Amino acid sequence: RRAEEQQRMAEEQQRRAEERLEQQRLEQQRLRDEARRVEEMRRVAAEQRELEARRAEEQQRRAEEQQRMAEEQQRRAEERLEQQRLEQQRLRDEARRVEEMRRVAAEQRELEARRAEEQQRRAEEQQ
């Protein structure tokens, strides 16, 4: 009977050892699965950060490009304004020159008319 009791105890120990082994196996499997999930989350987060960094760089590049274009438009507009200002100045100078020429010509005609009148008056006096 004692041999049967020892046999039963040995089988019970064997069974408990096998249960512990099975629990350890399941726990290791759970830990491996958890590690894989964590690794996948890290990978996804890293990809997300990289994607956001690329988007931010692209946005920055587009903003700088728009800034450059705006500055170029500004520069061209200022050039056109300067050209218009110079053209207006040229036209004003030209108008002043023409006005001066008209004034001189009018004075000249008036002077010649007075001379002719004076000559006419002297000729009539001599008669």
Side-chain angles (χ1 to χ4, degrees):
R1 207 171 70 245
R2 211 171 30 207
E4 283 175 6
E5 185 65 23
Q6 284 180 334
Q7 174 75 18
R8 211 171 52 252
M9 280 171 65
E11 285 172 358
E12 181 63 19
Q13 281 181 332
Q14 170 88 19
R15 189 183 62 72
R16 281 203 298 272
E18 285 172 358
E19 274 180 9
R20 280 197 307 275
L21 278 172
E22 178 61 11
Q23 282 173 348
Q24 284 176 353
R25 189 189 67 74
L26 289 171
E27 180 65 9
Q28 286 175 347
Q29 185 61 46
R30 192 187 68 71
L31 290 171
R32 278 195 298 271
D33 291 348
E34 181 67 15
R36 268 197 299 273
R37 269 196 305 278
V38 167
E39 183 55 35
E40 179 64 11
M41 282 163 58
R42 282 197 182 123
R43 189 187 63 73
V44 167
E47 281 179 6
Q48 191 66 28
R49 282 194 305 274
E50 193 178 330
L51 187 66
E52 285 169 6
R54 279 204 303 271
R55 278 197 195 122
E57 283 171 11
E58 179 63 20
Q59 221 173 359
Q60 175 74 17
R61 193 189 60 71
R62 277 200 302 270
E64 286 170 0
E65 182 65 21
Q66 284 177 333
Q67 175 76 16
R68 270 197 307 276
M69 283 168 64
E71 286 170 0
E72 180 63 19
Q73 282 179 330
Q74 172 86 15
R75 190 186 61 73
R76 283 200 298 267
E78 285 170 359
E79 276 179 7
R80 281 195 304 274
L81 278 172
E82 179 61 11
Q83 284 172 349
Q84 285 174 353
R85 190 189 66 73
L86 290 170
E87 179 65 10
Q88 285 173 350
Q89 186 61 49
R90 192 187 66 71
L91 290 170
R92 279 194 298 270
D93 292 349
E94 180 69 18
R96 270 197 295 273
R97 271 196 304 277
V98 167
E99 184 55 36
E100 181 64 15
M101 283 164 56
R102 282 197 183 124
R103 191 185 60 71
V104 167
E107 282 180 5
Q108 191 68 29
R109 282 193 305 275
E110 195 179 326
L111 189 65
E112 287 171 3
R114 278 205 304 274
R115 277 195 197 127
E117 284 172 11
E118 183 62 25
Q119 219 174 3
Q120 176 76 19
R121 194 183 57 69
R122 278 202 302 273
E124 286 172 354
E125 274 180 14
Q126 283 177 350
Q127 284 181 341

